[in-house]
Amino acid sequence: MKHLVTGVLAGALTIGMAAAPAEGAVTGAHESGEARGDVATHGVERTRGDSARTLLRLTLTYPTGNTSGTRTVVLRCDPPGGNHPAAEQACADLAASHGAIDHDPARNQICPMIYRPVIAQATGHWRERAVRFRKQYGNDCVMRSRTGRVFAF
């Protein structure tokens, strides 16, 4: 039975991700939670009053080196919450960039030129707009210089 449940959940994730728009795309059409894959956001369910709220599943993947692995958190805004450790600041960064995950934050940051790639992904919705974002950065510092505190976990 355990294998059956795991297989069904893995299939649901695959189906939800297979229909994703191109890398970094934010689509403007409001979709149902199931069509966007929100069912995979750690059991967080949307209610009818949540349509204008932000709910994003954020994932960091380190494909090489000593930092291999994946971390995932859920970010909610309006009001800030989820299990993101800096939810309030991440929501403020998203609001300041009008929902653009990769943007030019208002701070200058110098990053070392050490190649330790990280893949940042976001799926869900930001203020009624579907979000499908995926981008690889050269290292954590470069990623944070472009995304602010959205991926600060």
Side-chain angles (χ1 to χ4, degrees):
M1 184 69 175
K2 182 178 178 183
H3 297 291
L4 177 62
V5 172
T6 304
V8 170
L9 290 176
L13 287 173
T14 303
I15 291 167
M17 293 178 161
E23 180 176 307
V26 176
T27 59
H30 182 71
E31 303 169 307
S32 72
E34 282 186 344
R36 280 195 322 273
D38 284 351
V39 293
T41 56
H42 298 290
V44 177
E45 295 181 17
R46 292 184 58 207
T47 62
R48 290 181 183 223
D50 285 343
S51 63
R53 295 186 181 172
T54 297
L55 179 64
L56 295 171
R57 180 176 188 229
L58 305 171
T59 303
L60 291 176
T61 304
Y62 297 89
T64 62
N66 295 336
T67 56
S68 294
T70 300
R71 296 184 309 215
T72 300
V73 299
V74 173
L75 173 65
R76 276 193 238 197
C77 299
D78 309 318
N83 62 345
H84 191 293
E88 191 170 327
Q89 295 89 353
C91 291
D93 282 352
L94 281 172
S97 68
H98 305 287
I101 294 174
D102 187 285
H103 60 281
D104 191 14
R107 62 178 190 258
N108 292 326
Q109 187 168 353
I110 298 172
C111 293
M113 294 186 68
I114 298 171
Y115 185 69
R116 288 196 183 119
V118 58
I119 300 169
Q121 297 179 45
T123 58
H125 62 281
W126 183 79
R127 296 184 180 170
E128 297 188 28
R129 289 189 300 176
V131 174
R132 297 275 189 236
F133 174 84
R134 183 182 192 278
K135 187 166 182 178
Q136 180 170 324
Y137 297 92
N139 59 45
D140 278 329
C141 181
V142 173
M143 176 194 61
R144 290 196 177 124
S145 75
R146 300 294 307 162
T147 62
R149 292 165 285 197
V150 174
F151 289 99
F153 58 89

